[in-house]
Amino acid sequence: MIRWLNIFRGFLMGIVELVPGISSGTLALLLGIYDELLISIQKLFTKDFKKAAGFVFPLIIGMAIAILSMSSIINYFLVNHTIIIHWFFLGLVFGVIPMMFKLGNYKYEFKWIHYILIFLTIIGMYVLNNVKSEVQEVMQVDTSFSALLFLFIAGFIGSMALVLPGLSGSVILLILGAYPIVIYAISEFTSFNFEVLPILFATGFGIMFGIIFASKFIHYLLTHYTYLTYAFIIGLLLGSSFPIFHGFPTNGLQWVLSVILFLFGLGLSYSVSRRNNKETI
């Protein structure tokens, strides 16, 4: 059975993945499909393939549609309304955190080690944010074997961040130096330049294998180290504020719009996450 609604969910996940600092895993949590997503990815290579494919493939289609159709629009807002749009995304991320604490049953299960893990994860995210590279303009791409192998590895590593809420695959690709190459290749492909297809295939296969590996690993952690994993995810979500935050507003109108969008994102995220996860909290 095909989950047609997942095309829309995948579209939303694709939009947030275009923004460095935002994770599609965060949106999967918000939409209440995170656990089912991990399980479905693992079942793609079992006898339950049809059911898993009916869940996963519509998400992939939706994400692909978003990436190909919304990259220019998202780029416009990021360039021309940087601070305002990032305050909205900050609200979206912070709105998920109360639900994560409730899923982790923090009142009864969280001990000092869980809060230390949250703190250390936030510090790790701060360090990660400060070592990222600047985006450099790319005018042409290298399709040699070594370059494609690098992009495969970068896609593999970056895709594991796609599955982890709070950790952006875009930021990982940025740190590795692959982000501008991939963005350039996507832009050229949408302009019908098919010479960049090897770039997209290499990165895409890396992402595919990385997601399969990461989903198995994270599901194992959630099964055997449930509350430590929840604490780690909470730390990732809180720490994701570092790459998302792009400064304070510079004038009165910008302050008003930023605060309004932050509160709107906060309220939207909190209410949607509670509704979509109400069976588990």
Side-chain angles (χ1 to χ4, degrees), residues 66-236:
I67 291 172
L68 293 174
S69 65
M70 298 296 292
S71 57
S72 297
I73 297 174
I74 295 298
N75 185 66
Y76 168 81
F77 281 102
L78 292 176
V79 171
N80 296 283
H81 304 285
T82 306
I83 294 177
I84 295 174
I85 197 68
H86 279 90
W87 273 56
F88 169 70
F89 285 121
L90 276 173
L92 284 181
V93 171
F94 287 154
V96 181
I97 293 172
M99 182 268 295
M100 287 305 304
F101 271 104
K102 290 182 179 180
L103 287 176
N105 198 18
Y106 74 101
K107 289 183 178 180
Y108 303 101
E109 300 294 342
F110 274 26
K111 306 297 188 295
W112 61 269
I113 191 172
H114 297 87
Y115 292 104
I116 289 178
L117 179 58
I118 292 174
F119 176 75
L120 291 177
T121 305
I122 294 173
I123 296 300
M125 289 290 287
Y126 176 78
V127 173
L128 189 65
N129 180 63
N130 285 312
V131 300
K132 66 183 181 182
S133 305
E134 294 295 326
V135 177
Q136 298 180 355
E137 186 177 6
V138 174
M139 301 303 297
Q140 59 183 3
V141 291
D142 181 4
T143 56
S144 65
F145 176 78
S146 59
L148 295 179
L149 179 61
F150 161 72
L151 288 169
F152 175 85
I153 295 172
F156 184 91
I157 297 172
S159 69
M160 290 191 285
L162 294 176
V163 183
L164 276 171
L167 189 57
S168 169
S170 300
V171 169
I172 299 300
L173 292 179
L174 192 61
I175 293 171
L176 295 174
Y179 182 79
I181 300 173
V182 174
I183 291 297
Y184 172 80
I186 293 173
S187 176
E188 288 295 300
F189 180 73
T190 57
S191 301
F192 302 102
N193 178 5
F194 300 114
E195 293 181 359
V196 298
L197 277 176
I199 300 293
L200 298 178
F201 277 125
T203 309
F205 278 115
I207 289 173
M208 181 179 68
F209 286 109
I211 287 176
I212 293 170
F213 172 80
S215 63
K216 289 180 178 293
F217 182 61
I218 296 169
H219 187 259
Y220 173 84
L221 292 178
L222 283 170
T223 302
H224 296 86
Y225 304 97
T226 304
Y227 301 110
L228 282 173
T229 306
Y230 276 126
F232 178 61
I233 292 175
I234 290 170
L236 287 177

